[in-house]
Amino acid sequence: MSNKAATQVLLERLTETNGFSVRNSSEKDAYWYTSGKPGPFYINTENIAGEHAAEVILENITNLLKDNLSREHQAGAILDIINQAVDADQAYNASIDALLDYYKLNNTYKPTIISGGERRDWFFSIPIAKKLQVPHLFLFKSGDYHITDHEGKSIELELRDMSALHVADIINLASSYLKRWIPMLQNLGVAFTETLSVAVRSQEGIDNLRKNNVSVISPLIVDRPLFTEAYNLDLINEFAFNEIGQFYDSPKDWTRHFLAENNIEYSQALNLDTAKKDRIEFFKSSDPYHLKSEFPLFFA
Ligand SMILES: O=P(O)(O)OC[C@H]1O[C@H](OP(=O)(O)OP(=O)(O)O)[C@H](O)[C@@H]1O
């Protein structure tokens, strides 16, 4: 499989499962990001497991982590959930193969262990470890870790001579690496110079990792060329393609244009989820682009 083919498999799967979604008409609302700013597209790579399946899996993982169970029990249960989901869905399995093919095409490093961080990395790190027949290192946000062997059994392992490949769902600013995964891997004495991520949302994340001597391999670098590819593959329409171009030229100008055309009455919208409501409120109160004087009614 070529690099291009791997990217296409993943992009198509994400489009089918609404893991990659764009604003394809002026009637459609913007996506409100965690930063509290709006934008014309969004990417949620865990949907590669299936839109509904991803939701159920995440909920199950969250519940397992809440329960007062041993890390061994939690890791075993999470591993079973993910492996069963991959076995049950040919398209999820094919996406993991595409990701692994992409990795193999782009380097010669031979990891002896795969690491993955709580929670979404595990959708990818667990099946990649299984396919490479190497142990999996679960990294928990608390700082705990747990190792399973290539068959999924819990093991004790001397990590000092091992080389880890950290597999992730998406890199944004790489804050989870800087705050947690890099210090944890360093403390364990594992060599760690490379990470495979399904997608990269921002060049800043790649730069932050480079400063820490970690190089990034990813089939989906979310930037203009990826949207050109999506457009050429007919995965996004002309409206979306043009406005994403505007957004990359200037997020502020795109936002101004969106607010000028936007006829969505947020105050009247009944089905707004809490997260979205909070993000819109934060946008209004922080006014990151200084647009309040131009849109007094919206900011009122
Ligand atoms: O590049 P970064 O700045 O690290 O951001 C990206 C990471 O953040 C999110 O995970 P989060 O920490 O929210 O944990 P979750 O998987 O439990 O949702 C996301 O799933 C990525 O793993």
Side-chain angles (χ1 to χ4, degrees):
M1 185 180 280
S2 65
N3 279 342
K4 219 175 157 167
T7 299
Q8 186 173 337
V9 167
L10 294 162
L11 207 49
E12 285 175 349
R13 173 66 174 165
L14 279 169
T15 308
E16 269 163 31
T17 57
N18 282 320
F20 174 65
S21 186
V22 297
R23 187 170 170 259
N24 52 18
S25 81
S26 59
E27 278 84 60
K28 216 172 152 188
D29 196 3
Y31 300 97
W32 288 87
Y33 304 137
T34 331
S35 61
K37 292 177 184 162
F41 62 86
Y42 107 124
I43 183 153
N44 224 353
T45 61
E46 73 270 14
N47 280 26
I48 280 176
E51 188 173 9
H52 178 65
E55 216 175 291
V56 174
I57 292 170
L58 264 183
E59 202 182 318
N60 286 341
I61 293 178
T62 307
N63 290 337
L64 272 164
L65 294 175
K66 262 194 249 155
D67 279 349
N68 194 17
L69 302 164
S70 66
R71 291 303 194 194
E72 175 172 358
H73 190 113
Q74 290 174 340
I78 293 165
L79 202 117
D80 287 346
I81 292 173
I82 298 288
N83 285 334
Q84 277 165 21
V86 176
D87 289 346
D89 187 334
Q90 171 49 33
Y92 183 9
N93 189 33
S95 301
I96 299 293
D97 284 338
L99 183 62
L100 192 51
D101 281 351
Y102 187 91
Y103 175 70
K104 286 180 177 165
L105 269 175
N106 290 285
N107 85 3
T108 50
Y109 182 72
K110 293 259 175 287
T112 51
I113 191 161
I114 299 294
S115 60
E118 176 183 342
R119 295 166 303 167
R120 293 168 214 247
D121 291 349
W122 295 333
F123 282 85
F124 306 99
S125 59
I126 291 171
I128 293 276
K130 188 174 177 199
K131 283 183 192 276
L132 287 176
Q133 295 271 292
V134 297
H136 183 267
L137 172 58
F138 287 83
L139 300 175
F140 295 91
K141 289 179 187 168
S142 66
D144 291 349
Y145 69 94
H146 190 82
I147 310 167
T148 48
D149 70 6
H150 64 285
E151 290 176 325
K153 287 196 227 73
S154 289
I155 44 166
E156 301 276 335
L157 204 59
E158 177 47 66
L159 292 168
R160 296 238 155 236
D161 293 325
M162 304 207 83
S163 318
L165 169 69
H166 187 86
V167 176
D169 61 332
I170 193 163
I171 295 171
N172 196 20
L173 300 176
S175 44
S176 49
Y177 286 82
L178 305 187
K179 191 171 159 198
R180 298 193 176 93
W181 317 141
I182 293 177
M184 283 174 78
L185 291 168
Q186 271 169 354
N187 282 342
L188 291 168
V190 194
F192 170 48
T193 56
E194 203 173 70
T195 185
L196 169 67
S197 181
V198 179
V200 172
R201 183 74 166 71
S202 159
Q203 179 62 36
E204 233 180 302
I206 296 184
D207 297 341
N208 285 338
L209 285 167
R210 193 177 294 132
K211 283 183 210 144
N212 284 276
N213 304 315
V214 175
S215 59
V216 175
I217 296 174
S218 174
L220 296 174
I221 306 284
V222 183
D223 206 341
R224 290 177 199 257
L226 188 74
F227 291 102
T228 306
E229 186 172 353
Y231 179 61
N232 290 336
L233 288 169
D234 251 344
L235 298 175
I236 63 173
N237 68 8
E238 199 172 350
F239 174 91
F241 180 63
N242 289 336
E243 86 152 12
I244 289 166
Q246 276 174 19
F247 182 75
Y248 274 108
D249 289 339
S250 162
K252 177 175 178 170
D253 287 346
W254 176 86
T255 305
R256 176 184 280 122
H257 189 77
F258 168 70
L259 292 179
E261 280 205 333
N262 171 31
N263 37 31
I264 298 159
E265 269 293 337
Y266 290 114
S267 52
Q268 308 291 316
L270 298 171
N271 55 351
L272 279 192
D273 63 67
T274 333
K276 185 165 166 179
K277 235 187 234 167
D278 290 349
R279 289 169 190 181
I280 296 169
E281 280 314 311
F282 184 70
F283 176 77
K284 288 183 178 178
S285 61
S286 59
D287 190 13
Y289 298 125
H290 308 288
L291 292 169
K292 197 173 188 163
S293 57
E294 290 177 55
F295 301 97
L297 278 180
F298 177 83
F299 282 89

